[in-house]
């Protein structure tokens, strides 16, 4: 007759089996070909006939009970495994995240606005290299090697003769006119470099937006109207534009352009050095010789050109009193925009 202790022992072992292998081993131990229960079943035939029925039934019951305990153990292990894998793969959507969402740089945002405003006036965007030849940066704009106007912009020179980080975007004017016929209406935004001491309104690297319009009958009035339209679009209808006589070898007449300082509304403050105006850049009517050099007849066509610094506009637009903030990697400043 089967010892009931075997069933108990098997159940205890199965209920604490740590993995599937342990369960398999227990199955072999009790129900395998040479297993303990199997041996009992086999021995039933050797018993006296009157003992056989009870012994057989007991052995069968033991076998069924152990079989059930094995199934239970297998189930328990399978569930534990499932639990573990969902645990491992769990995605907690409420967990705080320290991923920072970036955004466009304030000057980039302003550039986009400027491009959009000119685009609405029918301008397209042209491009030129940041490392420019002396020819396009100076000579083609009638600034010869000995011309005193070279001193107007403190140039960084490179170790490669004839190449320099461009001091302005005006070279793009010439590049564009060489390859396009009038009517021309472009802006050319981009970085420029000058060997300048930094202060609250000057940087050694800054952006410029060059503009060029060449067509029949273009005048200074078109220049002023275009610039004013852009400034009003950016800064509001009450902005003023002031043109002051100036000199550039490649424009005649030439002007310096100022916008009302909207921080103090023209009263005078630190940003505008007490003048009430912010200097934006230069402009003028394209010099007839510049047109002639690129094969455009100045008796038929005339044009205006301008170049201004968007950072200067950003100062006024955002009410910032120091231009250096823009190109310092200080997120506390940049995150405000
Ligand atoms: N290139 C001039 C500057 O950088 C600005 C300018 C552009 C002037 C076009 C006249 C015409 O100061």
């Amino acid at each position: 007759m089967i010892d009931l202790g075997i069933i108990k022992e098997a159940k205890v072992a199965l209920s604490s089996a740590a993995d599937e292998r342990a369960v398999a081993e227990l199955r072999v131990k009790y129900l395998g070909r040479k297993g303990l229960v199997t041996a009992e079943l086999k021995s039933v035939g050797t018993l006296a006939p009157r003992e056989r029925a009870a012994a057989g039934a007991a052995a069968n019951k033991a076998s069924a009970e152990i079989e059930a305990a094995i199934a239970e153990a297998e189930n328990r292990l399978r569930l534990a495994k499932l639990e573990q894998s969902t645990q491992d793969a769990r995605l907690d959507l409420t967990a705080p995240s320290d991923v920072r969402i970036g955004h466009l740089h304030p000057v980039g945002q302003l550039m986009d606005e400027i491009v959009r405003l000119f685009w609405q006036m029918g301008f397209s965007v042209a491009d030129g290299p940041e490392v420019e030849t002396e020819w396009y940066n100076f000579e083609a704009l009638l600034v010869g090697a000995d011309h005193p106007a070279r001193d107007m912009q403190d140039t960084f020179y490179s170790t490669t003769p004839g190449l320099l980080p461009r001091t302005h975007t005006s070279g793009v004017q010439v590049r564009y006119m060489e390859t396009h016929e009038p009517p021309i209406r472009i802006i050319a935004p981009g970085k420029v470099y000058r060997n300048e001491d930094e202060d609250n309104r000057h940087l050694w690297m800054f952006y410029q937006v060059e503009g060029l319009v060449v067509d029949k009958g273009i005048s200074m009035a078109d220049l002023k109207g275009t610039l004013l339209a852009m400034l009003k679009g950016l800064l509001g209808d009450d902005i003023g534009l002031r043109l002051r006589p100036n000199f550039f070898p490649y424009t005649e007449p030439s002007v310096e352009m100022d916008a009302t300082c909207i921080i103090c509304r023209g009263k005078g403050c630190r940003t505008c050095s007490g003048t009430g105006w912010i200097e934006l850049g230069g402009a003028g009517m394209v010099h007839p010789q510049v047109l002639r050099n690129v094969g455009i007849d100045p008796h038929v066509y005339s044009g205006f050109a301008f170049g201004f610094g968007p950072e200067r506009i950003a100062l006024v637009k955002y009410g910032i009193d120091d231009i250096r903030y823009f190109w310092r990697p200080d997120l506390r400043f940049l995150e405000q925009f």
Side-chain angles (χ1 to χ4, degrees):
M1 185 71 122
I2 194 159
D3 178 0
L4 289 179
I6 289 180
I7 304 175
K8 208 167 179 190
E9 177 199 285
K11 282 184 175 171
V12 170
L14 281 164
S15 69
S16 62
D19 53 30
E20 285 165 352
R21 223 184 98 193
V23 175
E25 277 168 9
L26 288 167
R27 175 190 285 278
V28 172
K29 179 176 176 186
Y30 294 102
L31 306 178
R33 241 173 353 106
K34 294 177 181 162
L36 297 174
V37 177
T38 317
E40 283 295 331
L41 278 168
K42 279 182 185 162
S43 70
V44 168
T46 66
L47 295 176
R50 55 189 163 76
E51 290 174 352
R52 281 185 200 163
N60 278 331
K61 186 166 174 270
S63 171
E65 272 184 47
I66 292 171
E67 198 69 71
I70 287 173
E72 201 174 293
E74 282 172 347
N75 223 17
R76 171 174 58 80
L77 289 171
R78 200 158 31 81
L79 281 175
K81 215 171 170 183
L82 195 67
E83 177 83 359
Q84 189 57 48
S85 68
T86 47
Q87 217 33 270
D88 289 348
R90 199 164 84 199
L91 184 62
D92 183 357
L93 294 175
T94 64
S97 141
D98 57 1
V99 174
R100 291 191 184 202
I101 308 287
H103 62 72
L104 286 182
H105 188 279
V107 174
Q109 293 178 30
L110 186 66
M111 278 293 215
D112 284 355
E113 268 188 75
I114 291 170
V115 169
R116 190 173 42 82
L117 285 164
F118 278 107
W119 177 75
Q120 285 169 350
M121 291 190 270
F123 283 68
S124 44
V125 175
D127 201 10
E130 260 175 58
V131 176
E132 185 55 287
T133 62
E134 270 192 66
W135 169 261
Y136 284 111
N137 199 77
F138 291 127
E139 271 93 352
L141 295 163
L142 315 181
V143 190
D146 302 323
H147 198 292
R150 286 239 175 165
D151 295 338
M152 287 169 80
Q153 302 170 351
D154 297 306
T155 310
F156 283 119
Y157 285 93
S158 77
T159 48
T160 312
L163 283 183
L164 38 85
R166 65 181 176 187
T167 58
H168 56 182
T169 42
S170 296
V172 186
Q173 288 183 38
V174 182
R175 286 180 175 276
Y176 196 86
M177 286 190 288
E178 280 176 345
T179 49
H180 296 79
E181 301 281 318
I184 288 170
R185 233 181 292 172
I186 54 150
I187 53 166
K191 282 177 188 160
V192 301
Y193 302 84
R194 289 188 198 174
N195 189 4
E196 261 193 284
D197 287 334
E198 288 192 352
D199 63 29
N200 69 325
R201 271 173 308 163
H202 293 90
L203 296 164
W204 58 268
M205 185 288 289
F206 52 99
Y207 276 84
Q208 270 194 342
V209 177
E210 190 78 16
L212 174 71
V213 170
V214 181
D215 204 346
K216 289 176 182 158
I218 297 295
S219 74
M220 281 297 266
D222 298 308
L223 168 65
K224 187 163 188 183
T226 304
L227 289 170
L228 199 53
M230 177 206 66
L231 285 175
K232 284 184 172 180
L234 285 177
L235 303 171
D237 274 344
D238 55 346
I239 197 78
L241 172 68
R242 183 173 75 168
L243 302 180
R244 284 177 289 125
N246 193 19
F247 174 78
F248 297 104
Y250 38 97
T251 47
E252 181 57 37
S254 302
V255 292
E256 198 73 16
M257 44 194 187
D258 306 326
T260 317
C261 176
I262 57 165
I263 294 177
C264 59
R265 297 272 150 194
K267 283 196 214 70
C269 65
R270 178 170 126 92
T271 303
C272 60
S273 303
T275 63
W277 295 93
I278 297 276
E279 194 183 302
L280 295 182
M285 298 303 294
V286 182
H287 197 290
Q289 190 57 43
V290 173
L291 294 177
R292 232 175 267 128
N293 284 352
V294 292
I296 295 175
D297 184 351
H299 293 292
V300 179
Y301 292 103
S302 57
F304 68 73
F306 58 80
F308 65 83
E311 284 100 336
R312 292 284 180 84
I313 297 180
L315 284 185
V316 205
K317 186 171 168 77
Y318 302 127
I320 293 156
D321 61 8
D322 196 326
I323 203 166
R324 287 168 293 193
Y325 282 121
F326 286 124
W327 302 117
R328 280 186 190 144
D330 186 346
L331 286 179
R332 290 171 308 171
F333 171 76
L334 296 173
E335 275 171 350
Q336 299 173 68
F337 298 91

